[in-house]
Amino acid sequence: MSTAHPYHHGNLRSALLRQAELVLAERGVEQLSLRELAREVGVSNGAPRRHFADKGALLDALAEEGFERLGSRLDAALEEAEGDFAERLTVFARAYVGFGLEHRALLGLMHRPKSAFDDRLRAANDRTFAAPLRLLQQAREQGDIDPDTSGRIDMTILALLQGLTLIATTGTHDNLSLDALVTGSVATLIDGLRPH
């Protein structure tokens, strides 16, 4: 059960977002309410409305923050990655699945239907995946993957990452280590992407 945190002047927005993420992970999106969050962070019922007009605005802000955090992790992983395209894509996949393991409910919120996204969420999503998309473009230009794969391969990779994250969080990878699962899946995908 979440515990209340005292509110200190000036950080209510971040306190509400932190508490909302805890509630999301522990109890699900249905249990999130501005009134309950206000109680849990120790402020009046109306105080959250200074920052979030309604629950939808809170969820959008939480998803936007999630995209920013995931993007930072992916950017850092790819900046440190060395080796060929396969090695760099594997590093990216590990970073993504690692984030998903740590923030499963948040990742689910971030990947709700794009029709629910406003301009800020679309921009946050685009920033998050800018580095991996550059990696794929470089691979096309260098002949590492078939150049006629734009668009559909981006979605295929996202589907693979989401699937790996689900397998990892449910523990259904049997005797295979998570790293072996990620590495093997990325290798299989890349084999199918190479020019024929």
Side-chain angles (χ1 to χ4, degrees):
M1 187 64 78
S2 300
T3 56
H5 301 285
Y7 165 55
H8 300 291
H9 181 69
N11 71 351
L12 179 58
R13 186 179 191 280
S14 61
L16 289 167
L17 287 171
R18 279 194 310 275
Q19 190 63 27
E21 187 174 353
L22 288 173
V23 173
L24 180 69
E26 293 173 3
R27 293 176 256 162
V29 70
E30 301 81 14
Q31 299 302 313
L32 267 174
S33 77
L34 292 178
R35 180 181 292 269
E36 188 63 19
L37 287 176
R39 187 189 65 75
E40 290 179 349
V41 300
V43 296
S44 69
N45 289 343
R49 295 202 184 275
R50 288 182 234 150
H51 300 282
F52 308 108
D54 54 25
K55 179 178 173 177
L58 171 75
L59 293 175
D60 284 351
L62 190 57
E64 183 179 7
E65 185 177 273
F67 279 122
E68 298 297 341
R69 286 162 46 197
L70 174 59
S72 294
R73 183 176 293 194
L74 297 179
D75 289 350
L78 284 173
E79 282 174 18
E80 294 178 11
E82 297 178 352
D84 62 11
F85 169 65
E87 292 167 315
R88 297 184 75 218
L89 187 61
T90 301
V91 166
F92 163 67
R94 284 186 190 125
Y96 185 97
V97 173
F99 183 91
L101 278 171
E102 294 170 28
H103 308 285
R104 182 180 178 187
L106 180 60
L107 192 65
L109 177 68
M110 291 157 56
H111 288 303
R112 66 192 193 271
K114 296 295 183 269
S115 59
F117 278 23
D118 63 13
D119 290 342
R120 287 177 58 181
L121 279 178
R122 282 192 183 86
N125 179 76
D126 291 347
R127 285 191 303 274
T128 295
F129 293 103
L133 288 175
R134 281 194 305 273
L135 174 65
L136 290 170
Q137 185 56 37
Q138 289 168 358
R140 287 184 189 98
E141 291 168 359
Q142 295 169 1
D144 293 323
I145 61 176
D146 189 329
D148 187 28
T149 56
S150 58
R152 64 186 169 90
I153 188 54
D154 304 343
M155 189 56 67
T156 300
I157 289 175
L158 180 60
L160 173 68
L161 294 173
Q162 289 288 77
L164 288 172
T165 302
L166 180 62
I167 290 169
T169 56
T170 57
T172 54
H173 45 96
D174 298 324
N175 296 327
L176 198 61
S177 74
L178 180 58
D179 190 61
L181 174 70
V182 171
T183 303
S185 298
V186 171
T188 300
L189 176 65
I190 290 174
D191 284 345
L193 293 175
R194 294 196 190 284
H196 299 294

